[in-house]
C-alpha cells in the first residue's frame, strides 16, 4: 500500500515538471502530430484542410524541381560546414585542454560565438563584414588585391554562409573538451615512452577514445546545418541565383508567403526522414568503428 505521504510527494513531483510537460505537449508533440496530418491535406490558412492523400509528396518529387534543388544545396551546405566545424572545434578543444594559467577565461571567450552565432544581429553583422566594401575586402585591399564578391558571387555565397556555421563551434568544442579530459594521462605517457609522436598519439589514442563523442557531435551539427534558416534568410536572401536557397527558406516561403501550409508540412516531413536516415547511418557507422577498433585491439 502506498501511503498518503508518498502520494503527496508524487503530486509535488508532477507539479514541478508540469511547466515542461505542458510545453512539450503544446509546443512540440501537438505540432509534430498536426504537421503530419496537414501534410496529407490541401491547407492554405484561408480554407479548411481538405484531404488529398499523397498528392503533396508526389508533387515534391515529380513536378517541384525547386524542392530537389534546395535539398541538394542544403546537403552541400551541410557537407561543407559540418566537417570544417567539427575539425576546428576539436583543434581548439585540444589547445584549450592545456594546463596553463587563466585557461578558464580563454575557454569562456571561445564559447561566446556559440551563444551569439545563431542570432539575427550576428547574421546582419556577418553580412556587413563580407559586403563588397566590408571589413574582409578592406584587409584584402591592404594586400594589394581586388575586392571579392563574397555574397553576390554564385560560387562563393554558400561558402560564406558555411563560414558562419563554422564560427559557431563553441558547443561542439565544449563537448570535445569534456571528452578529452576523460582520456587517462597514462596512455599518453606510455606512448611517449615508446617514442610515439604527437600525431600518432592523436590518431591511435585521442580519436579512438573520443570516437563516440565525435559521432554525437556529427549527428547534432548535421541536424543543425540541415535545419538552418536564419543566416541564409538574413545574409543572402537565398541568392544569388538561388545558390543559397536552402530547404529552410523554401519551407518558410511555401508556408508564410504562398500560404501552402499542407505542402510545407510535407516538405518538413521529408526533411525529418532525411535527418532520421542520416542519424541511423551515423549510428551504424559508429558501431562499425567500435567493432573495428575492438578487433584491431584484440589482434594486437
Amino acid at each position: 500500500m502506498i501511503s498518503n505521504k508518498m502520494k503527496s510527494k508524487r503530486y509535488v513531483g508532477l507539479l514541478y515538471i508540469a511547466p515542461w510537460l505542458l510545453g512539450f505537449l503544446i509546443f512540440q508533440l501537438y505540432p509534430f502530430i498536426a504537421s503530419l496530418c496537414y501534410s496529407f491535406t490541401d491547407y492554405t490558412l484561408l480554407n479548411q484542410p481538405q484531404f488529398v492523400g499523397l498528392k503533396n509528396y508526389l508533387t515534391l518529387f515529380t513536378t517541384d524541381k525547386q524542392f530537389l534543388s534546395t535539398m541538394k544545396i542544403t546537403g552541400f551546405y551541410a557537407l561543407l560546414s559540418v566537417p570544417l566545424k567539427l575539425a576546428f572545434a576539436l583543434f581548439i578543444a585540444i589547445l584549450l585542454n592545456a594546463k596553463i594559467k587563466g585557461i578558464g577565461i580563454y575557454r569562456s571567450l571561445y564559447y561566446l560565438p556559440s551563444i551569439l552565432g545563431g542570432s539575427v544581429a550576428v547574421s546582419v553583422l556577418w553580412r556587413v563584414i563580407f559586403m563588397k566594401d566590408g571589413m574582409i575586402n578592406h584587409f584584402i585591399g591592404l594586400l594589394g588585391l581586388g575586392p571579392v564578391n563574397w555574397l553576390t558571387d554564385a560560387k562563393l555565397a554558400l561558402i560564406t554562409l558555411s563560414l558562419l556555421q563554422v564560427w559557431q563551434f563553441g558547443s561542439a568544442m565544449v563537448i570535445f573538451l569534456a571528452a578529452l579530459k576523460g582520456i587517462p594521462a597514462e596512455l599518453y605517457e606510455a606512448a611517449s615512452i615508446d617514442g610515439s609522436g604527437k600525431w600518432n598519439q592523436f590518431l591511435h589514442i585521442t580519436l579512438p577514445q573520443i570516437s563516440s563523442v565525435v559521432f554525437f557531435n556529427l549527428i547534432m551539427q548535421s541536424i543543425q546545418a540541415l535545419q538552418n534558416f536564419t543566416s541564409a534568410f538574413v545574409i543572402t536572401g537565398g541568392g544569388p541565383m538561388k545558390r543559397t536557397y536552402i530547404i529552410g527558406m523554401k519551407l518558410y516561403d511555401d508556408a508564410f508567403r504562398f500560404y501552402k501550409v499542407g505542402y510545407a508540412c510535407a516538405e518538413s516531413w521529408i526533411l525529418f526522414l532525411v535527418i532520421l536516415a542520416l542519424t541511423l547511418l551515423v549510428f551504424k557507422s559508429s558501431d562499425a568503428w567500435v567493432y573495428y577498433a575492438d578487433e584491431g585491439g584484440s589482434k594486437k
Side-chain angles (χ1 to χ4, degrees):
M1 296 292 291
I2 300 176
S3 64
N4 293 330
K5 188 175 182 181
M6 292 294 294
K7 289 182 178 180
S8 63
K9 287 185 177 181
R10 285 187 176 184
Y11 292 139
V12 171
L14 289 174
L15 184 62
Y16 277 120
I17 67 171
W20 177 88
L21 190 60
L22 289 174
F24 171 76
L25 293 175
I26 297 174
F27 298 110
Q28 293 186 354
L29 185 60
Y30 171 74
F32 184 79
I33 298 175
S35 66
L36 178 61
C37 297
Y38 287 142
S39 69
F40 298 104
T41 64
D42 180 14
Y43 182 35
T44 63
L45 288 180
L46 303 177
N47 61 348
Q48 292 294 325
Q50 298 178 356
F51 182 77
V52 294
L54 297 175
K55 180 181 177 181
N56 290 330
Y57 292 95
L58 293 175
T59 303
L60 285 174
F61 292 102
T62 56
T63 60
D64 191 351
K65 296 181 180 180
Q66 194 174 70
F67 173 73
L68 296 178
S69 175
T70 55
M71 290 297 290
K72 290 179 182 178
I73 293 172
T74 306
F76 182 72
Y77 169 77
L79 287 174
L80 183 63
S81 62
V82 173
L84 287 175
K85 183 177 183 178
L86 293 183
F88 194 63
L90 181 56
F91 173 72
I92 298 298
I94 292 174
L95 294 180
L96 296 180
N97 195 36
K99 296 180 180 179
I100 59 176
K101 187 176 181 180
I103 192 66
I105 298 176
Y106 291 106
R107 291 170 183 168
S108 300
L109 291 175
Y110 275 102
Y111 184 69
L112 286 178
S114 179
I115 301 175
L116 305 174
S119 68
V120 175
V122 173
S123 297
V124 172
L125 178 62
W126 201 260
R127 179 178 180 177
V128 172
I129 291 175
F130 281 92
M131 289 174 61
K132 190 171 184 179
D133 56 349
M135 183 186 301
I136 301 298
N137 279 332
H138 174 72
F139 287 120
I140 293 176
L142 296 178
L143 300 176
L145 302 176
V148 178
N149 297 321
W150 298 101
L151 303 177
T152 56
D153 190 328
K155 296 180 179 179
L156 296 177
L158 195 63
I159 297 176
T160 305
L161 291 185
S162 301
L163 292 178
L164 177 57
Q165 179 77 5
V166 174
W167 186 69
Q168 304 172 50
F169 65 90
S171 58
M173 181 268 295
V174 170
I175 297 173
F176 277 137
L177 184 59
L180 291 173
K181 288 188 170 298
I183 302 176
E186 293 81 4
L187 296 177
Y188 294 106
E189 294 173 0
S192 299
I193 294 173
D194 290 340
S196 179
K198 294 294 184 182
W199 179 246
N200 284 330
Q201 292 180 20
F202 174 76
L203 290 179
H204 300 291
I205 298 177
T206 304
L207 278 183
Q209 290 289 320
I210 66 171
S211 59
S212 59
V213 175
V214 172
F215 286 114
F216 172 78
N217 271 334
L218 178 61
I219 292 172
M220 299 305 295
Q221 300 306 322
S222 297
I223 293 174
Q224 183 179 350
L226 292 173
Q227 293 180 332
N228 182 44
F229 166 76
T230 304
S231 59
F233 181 77
V234 174
I235 298 175
T236 61
M241 300 169 57
K242 298 287 186 177
R243 292 299 180 89
T244 61
Y245 194 63
I246 57 179
I247 187 63
M249 288 199 62
K250 180 168 171 52
L251 279 168
Y252 172 82
D253 287 342
D254 286 338
F256 301 108
R257 289 184 60 191
F258 307 124
Y259 302 109
K260 297 189 297 182
V261 177
Y263 192 72
C265 289
E267 291 173 327
S268 67
W269 270 90
I270 295 297
L271 179 61
F272 169 75
L273 293 176
V274 169
I275 292 174
L276 179 62
L278 289 176
T279 303
L280 293 176
L281 179 62
V282 171
F283 270 114
K284 290 291 185 181
S285 301
S286 64
D287 291 340
W289 169 262
V290 172
Y291 175 79
Y292 174 78
D294 291 341
E295 286 295 308
S298 61
K299 290 179 181 179
K300 293 180 182 177

Coordinates of all heavy atoms in Angstrom, one line a residue, residues 34-57 59 254-255 258-266:
A34 N 0.3 17.3 -35.7 CA -0.5 18.1 -36.6 C 0.1 18.3 -37.9 O -0.6 18.3 -39.0 CB -0.8 19.5 -35.9
S35 N 1.5 18.5 -37.9 CA 2.1 18.7 -39.2 C 2.1 17.4 -40.1 O 1.9 17.5 -41.3 CB 3.6 19.1 -39.0 OG 4.3 18.0 -38.4
L36 N 2.1 16.3 -39.5 CA 2.0 15.0 -40.2 C 0.6 14.9 -40.8 O 0.4 14.5 -42.0 CB 2.2 13.8 -39.3 CG 2.0 12.4 -39.9 CD1 3.0 12.3 -41.1 CD2 2.2 11.3 -38.9
C37 N -0.4 15.3 -40.0 CA -1.8 15.3 -40.6 C -2.0 16.3 -41.7 O -2.6 16.0 -42.7 CB -2.8 15.5 -39.4 SG -2.8 14.3 -38.1
Y38 N -1.5 17.5 -41.5 CA -1.6 18.5 -42.5 C -0.9 18.2 -43.8 O -1.2 18.7 -44.9 CB -1.2 19.9 -42.0 CG -2.1 20.5 -41.0 CD1 -1.6 21.2 -39.9 CD2 -3.4 20.4 -41.1 CE1 -2.4 21.8 -38.9 CE2 -4.3 21.0 -40.2 CZ -3.8 21.7 -39.1 OH -4.6 22.3 -38.2
S39 N 0.2 17.4 -43.7 CA 0.9 17.1 -44.9 C 0.1 16.3 -45.9 O 0.5 16.2 -47.1 CB 2.2 16.3 -44.5 OG 1.9 15.0 -44.0
F40 N -1.0 15.7 -45.5 CA -1.8 14.9 -46.4 C -3.0 15.7 -46.8 O -4.0 15.2 -47.3 CB -2.3 13.6 -45.7 CG -1.2 12.7 -45.4 CD1 -0.8 12.6 -44.1 CD2 -0.5 11.9 -46.4 CE1 0.3 11.7 -43.7 CE2 0.5 11.1 -46.0 CZ 0.9 10.9 -44.7
T41 N -3.0 17.0 -46.6 CA -4.1 17.9 -46.9 C -3.7 19.1 -47.8 O -2.5 19.4 -47.9 CB -4.8 18.5 -45.6 OG1 -3.8 19.3 -45.0 CG2 -5.2 17.3 -44.7
D42 N -4.7 19.7 -48.4 CA -4.6 21.0 -49.1 C -5.0 22.0 -48.1 O -6.2 22.3 -48.0 CB -5.4 21.0 -50.4 CG -5.2 22.3 -51.1 OD1 -4.3 23.1 -50.8 OD2 -6.1 22.5 -52.0
Y43 N -4.1 22.7 -47.4 CA -4.4 23.6 -46.4 C -3.6 24.9 -46.7 O -2.4 24.9 -46.8 CB -4.0 23.0 -45.0 CG -4.3 23.9 -43.8 CD1 -5.5 24.7 -43.8 CD2 -3.5 23.9 -42.7 CE1 -5.7 25.5 -42.7 CE2 -3.8 24.7 -41.6 CZ -4.9 25.5 -41.6 OH -5.2 26.3 -40.5
T44 N -4.3 26.0 -46.8 CA -3.7 27.3 -47.1 C -3.9 28.4 -46.1 O -3.7 29.5 -46.4 CB -4.3 27.8 -48.5 OG1 -5.7 28.0 -48.3 CG2 -4.0 26.8 -49.6
L45 N -4.4 28.0 -44.9 CA -4.7 29.0 -43.8 C -5.9 29.8 -44.1 O -6.5 30.4 -43.2 CB -3.5 30.0 -43.6 CG -2.3 29.4 -42.9 CD1 -1.2 30.5 -42.7 CD2 -2.6 28.8 -41.5
L46 N -6.4 29.8 -45.4 CA -7.6 30.6 -45.7 C -8.8 29.7 -45.9 O -9.9 30.2 -46.1 CB -7.3 31.4 -47.0 CG -6.1 32.3 -47.0 CD1 -5.9 33.0 -48.3 CD2 -6.3 33.4 -45.9
N47 N -8.6 28.4 -45.9 CA -9.7 27.5 -46.1 C -9.5 26.3 -45.1 O -8.5 26.1 -44.5 CB -9.8 27.0 -47.5 CG -8.5 26.2 -48.0 OD1 -7.5 26.3 -47.3 ND2 -8.6 25.5 -49.1
Q48 N -10.5 25.5 -45.1 CA -10.4 24.3 -44.2 C -9.6 23.2 -44.9 O -9.6 23.1 -46.1 CB -11.8 23.7 -44.0 CG -12.7 24.6 -43.2 CD -12.3 24.7 -41.7 OE1 -11.7 23.7 -41.2 NE2 -12.5 25.8 -41.1
P49 N -8.8 22.5 -44.1 CA -7.9 21.4 -44.7 C -8.8 20.4 -45.5 O -9.8 19.9 -45.0 CB -7.2 20.8 -43.5 CG -7.3 21.8 -42.4 CD -8.6 22.5 -42.7
Q50 N -8.3 20.1 -46.7 CA -9.0 19.1 -47.5 C -8.0 17.9 -47.8 O -6.9 18.1 -48.3 CB -9.5 19.7 -48.8 CG -10.5 20.8 -48.6 CD -10.9 21.4 -50.0 OE1 -10.4 21.1 -51.0 NE2 -11.9 22.3 -49.9
F51 N -8.4 16.7 -47.4 CA -7.6 15.6 -47.6 C -7.3 15.3 -49.0 O -8.2 15.2 -49.9 CB -8.2 14.4 -46.9 CG -7.4 13.1 -47.0 CD1 -6.3 13.0 -46.1 CD2 -7.7 12.1 -47.9 CE1 -5.5 11.8 -46.2 CE2 -6.9 11.0 -48.0 CZ -5.8 10.8 -47.1
V52 N -6.0 15.2 -49.4 CA -5.6 14.9 -50.7 C -4.6 13.7 -50.8 O -4.1 13.4 -51.9 CB -4.8 16.1 -51.3 CG1 -5.8 17.3 -51.5 CG2 -3.6 16.5 -50.5
G53 N -4.5 13.0 -49.7 CA -3.7 11.8 -49.7 C -2.2 12.1 -49.9 O -1.6 13.0 -49.3
L54 N -1.5 11.4 -50.8 CA -0.1 11.5 -51.1 C 0.2 12.6 -52.2 O 1.4 12.6 -52.6 CB 0.5 10.2 -51.5 CG 0.4 9.1 -50.4 CD1 0.9 7.8 -51.0 CD2 1.2 9.4 -49.2
K55 N -0.7 13.4 -52.5 CA -0.5 14.3 -53.6 C 0.6 15.3 -53.3 O 1.4 15.6 -54.2 CB -1.8 15.2 -53.8 CG -1.7 16.2 -55.0 CD -3.0 17.0 -55.1 CE -2.8 18.0 -56.2 NZ -4.1 18.8 -56.4
N56 N 0.7 15.8 -52.1 CA 1.8 16.8 -51.8 C 3.2 16.1 -51.9 O 4.1 16.7 -52.5 CB 1.6 17.3 -50.4 CG 0.5 18.2 -50.2 OD1 0.1 18.9 -51.2 ND2 -0.1 18.2 -49.0
Y57 N 3.3 14.9 -51.5 CA 4.6 14.1 -51.6 C 4.9 13.8 -53.0 O 6.1 13.9 -53.4 CB 4.5 12.9 -50.7 CG 4.4 13.1 -49.2 CD1 3.2 13.2 -48.6 CD2 5.6 13.4 -48.5 CE1 3.1 13.4 -47.2 CE2 5.5 13.6 -47.1 CZ 4.3 13.6 -46.5 OH 4.2 13.9 -45.2
T59 N 4.0 15.5 -55.6 CA 4.3 16.8 -56.3 C 5.8 17.1 -56.0 O 6.5 17.7 -56.9 CB 3.4 17.9 -55.8 OG1 2.0 17.5 -56.1 CG2 3.7 19.2 -56.5
D254 N 6.9 28.7 -48.7 CA 5.7 28.0 -49.1 C 4.6 28.1 -48.0 O 3.5 28.2 -48.3 CB 6.0 26.5 -49.2 CG 6.8 26.2 -50.5 OD1 6.7 27.0 -51.5 OD2 7.5 25.2 -50.7
A255 N 5.1 28.2 -46.7 CA 4.1 28.3 -45.6 C 3.6 29.7 -45.4 O 2.4 29.9 -45.2 CB 4.7 27.7 -44.3
F258 N 3.4 31.9 -49.6 CA 2.4 31.4 -50.6 C 1.2 30.7 -49.9 O 0.3 30.2 -50.5 CB 3.1 30.4 -51.5 CG 4.3 31.0 -52.2 CD1 5.5 30.4 -52.1 CD2 4.1 32.2 -52.9 CE1 6.6 31.0 -52.7 CE2 5.2 32.7 -53.6 CZ 6.5 32.1 -53.5
Y259 N 1.3 30.6 -48.5 CA 0.2 30.0 -47.7 C -0.1 28.6 -48.0 O -1.2 28.1 -47.8 CB -1.0 30.9 -47.8 CG -0.8 32.3 -47.4 CD1 -0.8 33.3 -48.3 CD2 -0.6 32.7 -46.1 CE1 -0.6 34.6 -48.0 CE2 -0.3 34.0 -45.7 CZ -0.3 35.0 -46.6 OH -0.1 36.3 -46.3
K260 N 0.9 27.8 -48.5 CA 0.7 26.4 -48.8 C 1.1 25.6 -47.6 O 2.2 25.0 -47.6 CB 1.4 26.0 -50.1 CG 0.9 26.7 -51.3 CD 1.5 26.1 -52.6 CE 3.0 26.3 -52.6 NZ 3.6 25.8 -53.9
V261 N 0.4 25.6 -46.5 CA 0.8 25.1 -45.3 C 0.9 23.5 -45.4 O 1.8 22.9 -44.9 CB -0.2 25.5 -44.1 CG1 0.2 24.8 -42.8 CG2 -0.2 27.0 -44.0
G262 N -0.1 22.9 -46.0 CA 0.0 21.5 -46.1 C 1.2 21.0 -46.9 O 1.8 20.0 -46.6
Y263 N 1.5 21.7 -48.0 CA 2.6 21.4 -48.8 C 3.9 21.6 -48.0 O 4.8 20.8 -48.1 CB 2.6 22.3 -50.0 CG 3.6 21.9 -51.1 CD1 3.3 20.8 -51.9 CD2 4.7 22.6 -51.4 CE1 4.2 20.4 -52.9 CE2 5.6 22.2 -52.4 CZ 5.3 21.1 -53.2 OH 6.2 20.7 -54.1
A264 N 4.0 22.7 -47.3 CA 5.2 22.9 -46.4 C 5.4 21.8 -45.4 O 6.5 21.4 -45.1 CB 5.1 24.3 -45.8
C265 N 4.3 21.4 -44.8 CA 4.3 20.3 -43.8 C 4.9 19.0 -44.5 O 5.7 18.3 -43.8 CB 3.0 20.0 -43.2 SG 2.4 21.3 -42.1
A266 N 4.5 18.7 -45.7 CA 5.1 17.6 -46.4 C 6.6 17.7 -46.6 O 7.4 16.8 -46.5 CB 4.4 17.4 -47.8

